[in-house]
Amino acid sequence: MSSIIKFFVAPDDEVAAGAAEEGPGAKFEPITYGNFDVWSTLEELESILTGRDLEEVLDQGGPEIISGAGEPMLLRVPTVLVEALSTADSETVSGAAEQWLSLRAGEGEALDEELAHEIVSELAATAARAQRTTQSLYCWVA
C-alpha cells in the first residue's frame, strides 16, 4: 500500500487539524515523502537522538493522534523528538540516519541511503523551524 507522508509546522493542534482532511497545503511548507513506517521512524529517531532505550520510548506512547484513526491521520511529533532534532548538528543527523537505516534493515525494510539521510536532515531543519517559531511539528499520513 502506498502512502503520502507530510511533515509540517503549525502554531497549535486546532490550526493543524484544519489541514487533516485534505493535507497541509503550500502555506504550511510541508516536506513530503512516501512509503515508510512513520510510527516506527518517529519512535526510533527519538530513541537514537535522545539516547533512550527504544522500549522506554514505546512505553511513553509516541506521537499523539490529533485527528483521524485511519487515513488520513494527523500526528503531533513528540516535543522531546522535536527538541532533539532541532539541536542536532550535521554529524549527529548523519549518524542518526545511519542508525535508522540499520534498524529498518533489521526489520526487513530496505530504505535508500540517500533518501534516509534526506528525511532525517529535512526533519531536523523543520524541527528547528518549529522551535524557532515556538510552534509544533506535525505529520499528516494518507
Side-chain angles (χ1 to χ4, degrees):
M1 173 170 40
S2 182
S3 61
I4 298 171
I5 301 161
K6 295 185 179 192
F7 290 94
F8 66 101
V9 173
D12 57 41
D13 292 354
E14 185 177 336
V15 172
E21 192 62 35
E22 299 296 321
K27 77 174 187 172
F28 289 106
E29 301 176 35
I31 55 173
T32 304
Y33 297 101
N35 297 326
F36 65 89
D37 182 342
V38 171
W39 287 97
S40 293
T41 297
L42 295 175
E43 292 163 343
E44 290 167 354
L45 287 176
E46 183 175 335
S47 173
I48 291 165
L49 289 165
T50 63
R52 292 175 30 225
D53 184 77
L54 183 57
E55 290 302 318
E56 181 183 342
V57 171
L58 295 173
D59 288 345
Q60 304 241 317
E64 184 176 339
I65 298 173
I66 302 303
S67 179
E71 290 186 11
M73 182 173 18
L74 179 65
L75 309 171
R76 184 178 345 99
V77 177
T79 303
V80 66
L81 176 55
V82 174
E83 290 170 355
L85 282 163
S86 71
T87 59
D89 60 22
S90 60
E91 185 177 316
T92 301
V93 167
S94 181
E98 289 296 324
Q99 288 181 47
W100 178 47
L101 280 164
S102 178
L103 287 170
R104 291 291 83 224
E107 295 294 322
E109 183 179 353
L111 292 174
D112 177 79
E113 185 174 346
E114 186 176 324
L115 178 61
H117 281 269
E118 178 184 316
I119 290 170
V120 179
S121 292
E122 286 193 350
L123 266 175
T126 305
R129 182 165 48 99
Q131 288 289 96
R132 265 193 324 275
T133 59
T134 62
Q135 298 186 68
S136 295
L137 179 59
Y138 296 89
C139 180
W140 179 82
V141 182

